[in-house]
Amino acid sequence: MTPNFITDVIDADLQSGRHTRIITRFPPEPNGYAHLGHAFASYLDFMTAQDYGGLCHLRMDDTNPEGETQEYADSIIRDMQWVGWDTRHLFYASDYYEQLYGYAEALIRKGLAYVESVSGEEMARLRGTVDQPGTPSPYRNRSVEENLDLFRRMRAGEFKNGEHALRAKIDLTSPNFKLRDPVLYRILHASHYRTGDTWCIYPMYDFAHPISDAIEGITHSMCSLEFVDNRAIYDWLMEHLFPARETGRTPPRQYEFGRRSMEYTVVSKRKLRRLVREGVVKGWDDPRMPTLSAMRRRGVTPESVRAFAAQIGVSRTNRTVDLAIFENAVRDDLNARAPRVMAVTRPLKVTIQNLGEGRMLSLPYWPADVVRDIADGRVPLPTGERVPPEQAVREVPLTREIVIESDDFSADPPKGFKRLTPGGTVRLRGAGIIRCDEVIKGADGEPAELRVTLLGEDAKAGGVIHWVSATRGVHAEFRLFDRLFTVPEPDTEAQQFDPEQPGHEDDTKPLNTDFMRFVNPNSLVVTRGLVEPSVTRDPASARYQFERAGYFWRDPVDSRDDALVFNRIITLKDTWGRKPDRVEPKAESKPRPEKKADAAAPVRPALTSEQESVFARLRGHGVTENDAHLLAREPQLAAYLDAAGDKRLADLAPWVVNDLATPIREGTNRVGVEDLAALVTLLAEGGISVRIAKEVLAEAQVSGEAPASIVERKGLRVVSDEGQLRAAIQGVLDANPAKVAEYRGGKKGLTGFFTGQVMRATNGQADPKTVARLLNEMLG
């Protein structure tokens, strides 16, 4: 960590003897996937502890059962491990429910908490205003005995949601509203993904978080600036529940750092969930998303994520980070990591008329400047070999028929065009200079083939282009990803209030969701082309710089040896070029100027009157705006979807647009719309997971078998039968006796380990809720 105000505090604490060892914590809420904002926060927590030889705990802040799942918890653990953090010190706030309840009763016995029985609206009114102090509730002076009785009955499930709540008795006159008798516990009859239905009252963030820190012995509790007012509750709880004079140890303290927002994206999990739910993206790991799972799938390395987190720094003010800083961190990392090869993403056929059988060329993986820049003079090749970079070469076949990028030819070139033109010359990378002698046009009047002559080295050429053999190149799909939004701050208005943030439970302002209008319609462009055959010898994890096209790697989900799919990790240069790479403070207190949203909104191709009619009909049946616009412009896709009938349009449209569009366009689709509907019905009924649905759909495209039949034949339905799950769980427990002993000895954080093992044992088909309940029962 670069020295900052928090490290200054730690230095002083160590020097004074306040602490002798540093323990921090990273406490994400498992209600979505971790994103780049979490990358910065986790970097601060984990690296601070590492620099001081201490520990950092990963703790799931799972005190709100609505929306929290084992899937999200597992994904966060997986992403933190990928970034490079040690996650062995894993904890869950839900492990402390019994202890938290005990501390709540302790506050009641001290006369510092009471059971409130007014409605939420009345409670808000009684808190007063900025100019008026709060008014005591008629229930504020209940006796200790009555409060204990009611609180225990709340736990026992005697009351409905909202009928009562437990409040701290602090100061109704405080200018800090957080201290005006905040709610500590609320009644919520909801099943928790780890504790099941054991609890129907759940602690609020402001109560659970400080106490969890104290239980774990955290020394420095770091959080973003929005929780600066919450620190007063933190300190109040430490004073009354963990005073040093009684515990013999120094309680933790909270320190706030400036939050980091990123341009051209959103990081609110509520907004990210909407993008997934409405099919704007294909899931939490869609490479356009800002999630760490998406970064991993896109091909970004953990080293570049850490480098980015290190660059943006720690301060006491909120800042908005130019996305170019992240993109340049990725480029800097890949420049010396990714060997150069050639791929053509939008092919135009070229016939070299004076070339006979062709020949094999030996071309370098690395340009001279990179060879010079590598400090130790050696680089890892995709094959895993290590040789001097100047000797790292691959064989590339030059054949009579090749392909070039269609953009590298122009029949009517603009001024300064340095690629191929009729009668003009250009250098083929590593192969020589060609002259365009003849242009063969297709039925649409566009160039379909160029006939060229290979010239001698004494010829002159204005530019250099890349190419691939048309007969020996490998066919591949290229996914060209770009920024998901067209404007730097798509959710500026919506960020005024986000109810998912802990500590905001009592706010009732609506959430503005206007950010969807700024979705970039060109955030994903899929093309088909050719890549040089050398890549077939490399491992799937190899990253490349496809010359002049960008950095790419194979999609780890969809790519196969016989059907390569390459994701563009990043372009070679910043194609947006809005401003220099820097972190700019944003003056949050200044009023924001009115935005001309319509002018900034993404520009889609105009629709004809007939297409407008189709668009309106699809929107009327619940199809999202983006999907409806695409379907209206593509009659093949719309015709396929129409066969299902109007009632299924909204459910099927995302699958048609995201999963079946390419085979439908190419005439290779083997999944009928009724078969797709049957699969989507299975998914909606909870019979299968999204992962299984996608895998089955891909298999059906190859075999022609109905997806639902594949599910039945392979027995892929979600397993919820208790007998089967008990047997699977018992097998896991029998195979891990030491872990069982640790769990029963108090290490409750192992629940996640056992859940993961059961999911593996059932091939990911076990119903997570049933597993959680049975594990709780069988582990005792």
Side-chain angles (χ1 to χ4, degrees):
M1 290 297 302
T2 302
N4 56 73
F5 75 95
I6 294 177
T7 59
D8 290 344
V9 169
I10 293 175
D11 290 339
D13 286 346
L14 291 172
Q15 187 173 4
S16 68
R18 176 181 172 84
H19 295 292
T20 57
R21 190 185 192 192
I22 303 305
I23 303 178
T24 63
R25 87 290 169 270
F26 175 58
E29 186 178 0
N31 62 353
Y33 280 56
H35 50 65
L36 285 171
H38 292 110
F40 168 69
S42 66
Y43 185 90
L44 174 58
D45 291 320
F46 279 94
M47 283 302 295
T48 298
Q50 180 176 307
D51 285 354
Y52 285 94
L55 296 176
C56 180
H57 294 180
L58 173 59
R59 181 173 73 234
M60 297 299 155
D61 176 24
D62 56 353
T63 57
N64 183 3
E66 296 181 316
E68 296 174 347
T69 68
Q70 189 66 49
E71 174 195 351
Y72 292 145
D74 290 343
S75 73
I76 292 170
I77 296 168
R78 183 171 60 247
D79 289 340
M80 292 301 104
Q81 291 170 341
W82 175 73
V83 172
W85 308 139
D86 181 356
T87 62
R88 289 176 296 176
H89 306 286
L90 175 63
F91 301 86
Y92 294 80
S94 55
D95 287 339
Y96 307 135
Y97 278 177
E98 196 64 53
Q99 290 169 275
L100 292 169
Y101 178 84
Y103 284 116
E105 284 206 352
L107 288 177
I108 293 174
R109 284 191 291 269
K110 290 172 178 271
L112 297 174
Y114 62 97
V115 173
E116 176 65 273
S117 302
V118 303
S119 67
E121 293 78 8
E122 179 66 5
M123 198 186 309
R125 188 189 68 80
L126 291 174
R127 277 185 173 152
T129 65
V130 175
D131 302 319
Q132 296 291 329
T135 302
S137 162
Y139 305 102
R140 195 171 193 261
N141 293 318
R142 276 174 163 156
S143 67
V144 169
E145 292 73 18
E146 185 180 4
N147 282 318
L148 284 173
D149 175 66
L150 283 169
F151 190 48
R152 290 165 182 171
R153 291 167 62 192
M154 285 170 58
R155 174 178 179 169
E158 291 187 26
F159 307 113
K160 299 176 182 178
N161 292 353
E163 200 168 343
H164 299 287
L166 183 70
R167 296 177 69 179
K169 187 185 292 187
I170 306 182
D171 183 1
L172 289 170
T173 66
S174 174
N176 182 350
F177 268 65
K178 296 293 183 181
L179 292 180
R180 293 189 182 184
D181 289 12
V183 174
L184 305 181
Y185 266 87
R186 79 282 201 193
I187 300 173
L188 185 58
H189 290 274
S191 182
H192 190 279
Y193 76 102
R194 295 185 75 240
T195 61
D197 296 323
T198 302
W199 294 87
C200 62
I201 58 171
Y202 290 93
M204 305 300 281
Y205 169 84
D206 281 332
F207 182 69
H209 188 78
I211 295 177
S212 297
D213 282 351
I215 291 172
E216 294 174 19
I218 304 302
T219 57
H220 298 78
S221 181
M222 292 172 272
C223 61
S224 54
L225 196 61
E226 68 207 87
F227 298 110
V228 63
D229 289 339
N230 304 63
R231 189 196 331 145
I233 304 177
Y234 194 111
D235 293 342
W236 184 84
L237 288 168
M238 293 302 103
E239 176 187 352
H240 292 287
L241 293 176
F242 301 94
R245 61 185 179 275
E246 295 179 12
T247 63
R249 67 179 187 180
T250 304
R253 286 182 179 174
Q254 175 178 301
Y255 302 90
E256 304 85 22
F257 57 88
R259 191 173 186 173
R260 298 295 181 263
S261 301
M262 288 190 65
E263 294 185 341
Y264 294 98
T265 191
V266 296
V267 292
S268 160
K269 289 180 198 168
R270 185 178 181 187
K271 298 182 179 72
L272 296 178
R273 280 194 294 270
R274 185 178 172 198
L275 291 171
V276 173
R277 185 178 65 250
E278 296 193 11
V280 175
V281 296
K282 299 179 182 179
W284 287 94
D285 68 342
D286 186 304
R288 293 167 291 176
M289 291 278 273
T291 61
L292 297 181
S293 291
M295 296 297 104
R296 181 168 64 252
R297 181 173 178 180
R298 185 164 178 162
V300 171
T301 67
E303 290 84 356
S304 59
V305 171
R306 294 198 300 271
F308 162 70
Q311 288 177 37
I312 59 180
V314 182
S315 70
R316 296 179 187 269
T317 57
N318 292 328
R319 293 181 178 179
T320 298
V321 181
D322 187 343
L323 189 60
I325 293 179
F326 171 69
E327 293 172 339
N328 285 336
V330 176
R331 291 188 186 99
D332 291 344
D333 173 70
L334 293 175
N335 185 48
R337 179 193 296 270
R340 277 53 166 174
V341 300
M342 293 188 291
V344 173
T345 61
R346 296 177 175 88
L348 172 60
K349 182 180 177 181
V350 175
T351 300
I352 306 175
Q353 299 179 101
N354 62 333
L355 185 66
E357 295 183 359
R359 58 181 181 267
M360 192 67 72
L361 306 177
S362 182
L363 301 183
Y365 272 116
W366 306 98
D369 62 326
V370 173
V371 172
R372 289 193 303 268
D373 288 345
I374 298 174
D376 64 358
R378 294 180 181 275
V379 294
L381 296 182
T383 56
E385 301 175 60
R386 296 183 68 85
V387 300
E390 62 273 12
Q391 298 177 21
V393 297
R394 83 279 189 193
E395 292 187 336
V396 180
L398 174 65
T399 56
R400 180 180 173 83
E401 293 181 355
I402 63 173
V403 292
I404 65 172
E405 293 285 354
S406 58
D407 289 346
D408 283 341
F409 172 79
S410 176
D412 184 20
K415 186 178 180 179
F417 189 76
K418 294 183 178 182
R419 286 160 282 175
L420 198 56
T421 61
T425 60
V426 75
R427 178 177 292 278
L428 296 178
R429 171 72 71 192
I433 299 171
I434 59 172
R435 181 187 64 234
C436 179
D437 300 320
E438 185 179 0
V439 179
I440 310 299
K441 294 185 178 181
D444 58 359
E446 294 297 317
E449 179 185 354
L450 306 179
R451 294 179 180 173
V452 306
T453 298
L454 185 63
L455 305 176
E457 282 300 314
D458 57 342
K460 294 183 178 180
V464 181
I465 64 174
H466 61 277
W467 56 276
V468 173
S469 166
T471 53
R472 298 187 61 183
V474 179
H475 289 271
E477 176 182 302
F478 301 96
R479 296 176 179 174
L480 310 179
F481 296 106
D482 204 346
R483 298 180 180 182
L484 188 54
F485 294 93
T486 59
V487 295
E489 297 178 90
D491 65 344
T492 297
E493 303 267 340
Q495 285 286 5
Q496 292 176 7
F497 169 70
D498 187 345
E500 80 171 15
Q501 289 296 338
H504 290 191
E505 292 90 352
D506 296 324
D507 286 311
T508 57
K509 299 176 185 176
L511 182 65
N512 185 329
T513 55
D514 234 8
F515 75 101
M516 293 287 278
R517 71 186 303 162
F518 301 115
V519 169
N520 180 6
N522 299 313
S523 62
L524 169 60
V525 175
V526 179
T527 67
R528 292 185 178 275
L530 293 160
V531 63
E532 65 178 68
S534 66
V535 302
T536 60
R537 300 193 304 270
D538 300 331
S541 59
R543 293 167 174 83
Y544 306 97
Q545 184 190 113
F546 288 163
E547 296 203 32
R548 301 172 63 234
Y551 293 100
F552 288 76
W553 88 325
R554 298 185 202 178
D555 185 279
V557 177
D558 296 335
S559 187
R560 304 190 307 273
D561 289 342
D562 60 344
L564 295 178
V565 177
F566 285 96
N567 292 338
R568 183 170 68 188
I569 305 169
I570 198 77
T571 55
L572 295 180
K573 296 180 180 179
D574 179 5
T575 57
W576 294 70
R578 196 182 60 80
K579 60 184 179 184
D581 300 342
R582 64 180 182 271
V583 178
E584 279 195 320
K586 298 290 182 180
E588 296 188 341
S589 60
K590 295 181 180 179
R592 300 182 186 274
E594 279 293 317
K595 291 195 174 186
K596 296 182 179 178
D598 292 338
V603 179
R604 297 188 177 94
L607 299 178
T608 65
S609 58
E610 183 179 347
Q611 290 171 341
E612 283 284 2
S613 177
V614 175
F615 175 81
R617 180 174 62 82
L618 292 172
R619 290 289 288 144
H621 289 287
V623 178
T624 65
E625 185 174 354
N626 285 340
D627 288 352
H629 200 277
L630 176 66
L631 291 164
R633 290 186 290 111
E634 297 206 32
Q636 281 179 291
L637 302 187
Y640 173 90
L641 189 59
D642 283 344
D646 291 343
K647 292 183 179 179
R648 304 304 304 275
L649 289 178
D651 295 330
L652 300 182
W655 292 88
V656 173
V657 170
N658 297 320
D659 298 87
L660 297 182
T662 299
I664 291 174
R665 292 186 190 112
E666 296 176 349
T668 59
N669 176 51
R670 304 182 71 181
V671 178
V673 69
E674 291 301 326
D675 290 333
L676 175 64
L679 181 70
V680 173
T681 298
L682 273 177
L683 179 64
E685 293 173 348
I688 56 174
S689 65
V690 173
R691 177 184 63 84
I692 291 174
K694 288 183 175 291
E695 291 175 354
V696 166
L697 197 59
E699 182 176 339
Q701 287 289 6
V702 175
S703 66
E705 183 180 358
S709 298
I710 297 174
V711 171
E712 298 304 328
R713 176 170 55 80
K714 290 190 170 184
L716 299 177
R717 285 181 176 270
V718 170
V719 177
S720 55
D721 178 76
E722 287 200 12
Q724 287 181 260
L725 293 180
R726 283 182 185 277
I729 292 171
Q730 192 59 54
V732 169
L733 300 186
D734 292 343
N736 298 278
K739 298 283 189 185
V740 173
E742 289 179 30
Y743 177 92
R744 290 174 176 161
K747 197 171 182 180
K748 302 302 183 183
L750 286 170
T751 301
F753 165 81
F754 290 119
T755 301
Q757 294 297 311
V758 173
M759 297 304 288
R760 291 187 186 94
T762 58
N763 196 30
Q765 293 172 234
D767 176 59
K769 289 186 178 180
T770 308
V771 169
R773 178 170 55 80
L774 293 178
L775 269 174
N776 187 55
E777 173 190 324
M778 295 172 70
L779 281 168

